[in-house]
PDB file of all heavy atoms in Angstrom:
ATOM      1  N   SER N 254     -86.081-104.101 -89.152  1.00 98.00           N
ATOM      2  CA  SER N 254     -86.930-104.678 -88.125  1.00 98.00           C
ATOM      3  C   SER N 254     -86.245-105.794 -87.278  1.00 98.00           C
ATOM      4  O   SER N 254     -85.080-105.469 -86.970  1.00 98.00           O
ATOM      5  CB  SER N 254     -88.114-105.164 -88.843  1.00 98.00           C
ATOM      6  OG  SER N 254     -88.819-104.331 -89.545  1.00 98.00           O
ATOM      7  N   ASP N 255     -86.697-106.786 -87.057  1.00 98.00           N
ATOM      8  CA  ASP N 255     -85.936-107.931 -86.325  1.00 98.00           C
ATOM      9  C   ASP N 255     -85.480-108.850 -87.451  1.00 98.00           C
ATOM     10  O   ASP N 255     -86.019-108.922 -88.649  1.00 98.00           O
ATOM     11  CB  ASP N 255     -86.886-108.682 -85.380  1.00 98.00           C
ATOM     12  CG  ASP N 255     -86.080-109.593 -84.594  1.00 98.00           C
ATOM     13  OD1 ASP N 255     -84.878-109.459 -84.339  1.00 98.00           O
ATOM     14  OD2 ASP N 255     -86.679-110.701 -84.187  1.00 98.00           O
ATOM     15  N   TYR N 256     -84.313-109.548 -87.181  1.00 98.00           N
ATOM     16  CA  TYR N 256     -83.718-110.593 -88.080  1.00 98.00           C
ATOM     17  C   TYR N 256     -84.952-111.486 -88.407  1.00 98.00           C
ATOM     18  O   TYR N 256     -85.761-111.921 -87.524  1.00 98.00           O
ATOM     19  CB  TYR N 256     -82.597-111.328 -87.328  1.00 98.00           C
ATOM     20  CG  TYR N 256     -81.605-110.473 -86.685  1.00 98.00           C
ATOM     21  CD1 TYR N 256     -81.234-110.706 -85.465  1.00 98.00           C
ATOM     22  CD2 TYR N 256     -80.972-109.469 -87.494  1.00 98.00           C
ATOM     23  CE1 TYR N 256     -80.266-109.940 -84.796  1.00 98.00           C
ATOM     24  CE2 TYR N 256     -79.923-108.712 -86.923  1.00 98.00           C
ATOM     25  CZ  TYR N 256     -79.566-108.927 -85.534  1.00 98.00           C
ATOM     26  OH  TYR N 256     -78.493-108.183 -84.992  1.00 98.00           O
ATOM     27  N   ALA N 257     -85.052-111.987 -89.626  1.00 97.00           N
ATOM     28  CA  ALA N 257     -85.965-112.954 -90.107  1.00 97.00           C
ATOM     29  C   ALA N 257     -87.315-112.544 -89.913  1.00 97.00           C
ATOM     30  O   ALA N 257     -88.203-113.436 -89.657  1.00 97.00           O
ATOM     31  CB  ALA N 257     -85.627-114.382 -89.485  1.00 97.00           C
ATOM     32  N   SER N 258     -87.676-111.297 -89.935  1.00 97.00           N
ATOM     33  CA  SER N 258     -89.080-110.910 -89.723  1.00 97.00           C
ATOM     34  C   SER N 258     -89.835-110.642 -90.963  1.00 97.00           C
ATOM     35  O   SER N 258     -90.988-110.368 -90.981  1.00 97.00           O
ATOM     36  CB  SER N 258     -89.038-109.605 -88.819  1.00 97.00           C
ATOM     37  OG  SER N 258     -88.361-108.584 -89.526  1.00 97.00           O
ATOM     38  N   GLY N 259     -89.171-110.758 -92.197  1.00 95.00           N
ATOM     39  CA  GLY N 259     -89.808-110.589 -93.432  1.00 95.00           C
ATOM     40  C   GLY N 259     -90.080-112.025 -94.119  1.00 95.00           C
ATOM     41  O   GLY N 259     -90.703-112.841 -93.512  1.00 95.00           O
ATOM     42  N   THR N 260     -89.445-112.120 -95.227  1.00 94.00           N
ATOM     43  CA  THR N 260     -89.737-113.450 -96.014  1.00 94.00           C
ATOM     44  C   THR N 260     -89.293-114.625 -95.218  1.00 94.00           C
ATOM     45  O   THR N 260     -89.957-115.750 -95.294  1.00 94.00           O
ATOM     46  CB  THR N 260     -89.101-113.268 -97.401  1.00 94.00           C
ATOM     47  OG1 THR N 260     -89.313-112.220 -98.086  1.00 94.00           O
ATOM     48  CG2 THR N 260     -89.293-114.574 -98.193  1.00 94.00           C
ATOM     49  N   SER N 261     -88.198-114.608 -94.547  1.00 95.00           N
ATOM     50  CA  SER N 261     -87.648-115.715 -93.837  1.00 95.00           C
ATOM     51  C   SER N 261     -88.469-116.227 -92.768  1.00 95.00           C
ATOM     52  O   SER N 261     -88.272-117.386 -92.230  1.00 95.00           O
ATOM     53  CB  SER N 261     -86.163-115.320 -93.368  1.00 95.00           C
ATOM     54  OG  SER N 261     -85.329-115.098 -94.394  1.00 95.00           O
ATOM     55  N   GLN N 262     -89.499-115.516 -92.120  1.00 94.00           N
ATOM     56  CA  GLN N 262     -90.318-116.067 -91.203  1.00 94.00           C
ATOM     57  C   GLN N 262     -91.587-116.563 -91.857  1.00 94.00           C
ATOM     58  O   GLN N 262     -92.502-117.063 -91.200  1.00 94.00           O
ATOM     59  CB  GLN N 262     -90.608-114.940 -90.197  1.00 94.00           C
ATOM     60  CG  GLN N 262     -91.365-113.803 -90.720  1.00 94.00           C
ATOM     61  CD  GLN N 262     -92.861-113.764 -90.785  1.00 94.00           C
ATOM     62  OE1 GLN N 262     -93.466-114.503 -89.925  1.00 94.00           O
ATOM     63  NE2 GLN N 262     -93.417-113.262 -91.868  1.00 94.00           N
ATOM     64  N   ALA N 263     -91.698-116.503 -93.160  1.00 94.00           N
ATOM     65  CA  ALA N 263     -93.089-116.836 -93.836  1.00 94.00           C
ATOM     66  C   ALA N 263     -92.907-118.062 -94.759  1.00 94.00           C
ATOM     67  O   ALA N 263     -93.728-118.247 -95.617  1.00 94.00           O
ATOM     68  CB  ALA N 263     -93.486-115.625 -94.616  1.00 94.00           C
ATOM     69  N   THR N 264     -91.986-118.997 -94.321  1.00 95.00           N
ATOM     70  CA  THR N 264     -91.679-120.231 -95.121  1.00 95.00           C
ATOM     71  C   THR N 264     -92.615-121.177 -94.665  1.00 95.00           C
ATOM     72  O   THR N 264     -93.417-121.089 -93.710  1.00 95.00           O
ATOM     73  CB  THR N 264     -90.246-120.711 -94.957  1.00 95.00           C
ATOM     74  OG1 THR N 264     -90.184-121.352 -93.837  1.00 95.00           O
ATOM     75  CG2 THR N 264     -89.313-119.526 -95.167  1.00 95.00           C
ATOM     76  N   SER N 265     -92.686-122.307 -95.487  1.00 95.00           N
ATOM     77  CA  SER N 265     -93.511-123.516 -95.215  1.00 95.00           C
ATOM     78  C   SER N 265     -92.677-124.465 -94.165  1.00 95.00           C
ATOM     79  O   SER N 265     -93.182-125.502 -93.880  1.00 95.00           O
ATOM     80  CB  SER N 265     -93.823-124.305 -96.425  1.00 95.00           C
ATOM     81  OG  SER N 265     -94.719-123.590 -97.199  1.00 95.00           O
ATOM     82  N   LYS N 266     -91.604-123.930 -93.670  1.00 97.00           N
ATOM     83  CA  LYS N 266     -90.730-124.579 -92.684  1.00 97.00           C
ATOM     84  C   LYS N 266     -90.222-125.906 -93.287  1.00 97.00           C
ATOM     85  O   LYS N 266     -90.191-126.877 -92.688  1.00 97.00           O
ATOM     86  CB  LYS N 266     -91.368-124.920 -91.377  1.00 97.00           C
ATOM     87  CG  LYS N 266     -91.981-123.492 -90.827  1.00 97.00           C
ATOM     88  CD  LYS N 266     -92.399-123.674 -89.334  1.00 97.00           C
ATOM     89  CE  LYS N 266     -93.069-122.347 -88.949  1.00 97.00           C
ATOM     90  NZ  LYS N 266     -92.242-121.240 -88.857  1.00 97.00           N
ATOM     91  N   LEU N 267     -89.719-125.847 -94.492  1.00 97.00           N
ATOM     92  CA  LEU N 267     -89.261-126.887 -95.269  1.00 97.00           C
ATOM     93  C   LEU N 267     -87.815-126.564 -95.807  1.00 97.00           C
ATOM     94  O   LEU N 267     -87.628-125.419 -96.337  1.00 97.00           O
ATOM     95  CB  LEU N 267     -90.109-127.343 -96.338  1.00 97.00           C
ATOM     96  CG  LEU N 267     -91.545-127.697 -95.969  1.00 97.00           C
ATOM     97  CD1 LEU N 267     -92.367-127.881 -97.368  1.00 97.00           C
ATOM     98  CD2 LEU N 267     -91.492-128.999 -95.138  1.00 97.00           C
TER      99      LEU N 267
END
Side-chain angles (χ1 to χ4, degrees):
S254 299
D255 187 27
Y256 311 126
S258 60
T260 304
S261 298
Q262 63 83 35
T264 75
S265 297
K266 304 189 187 300
L267 302 174

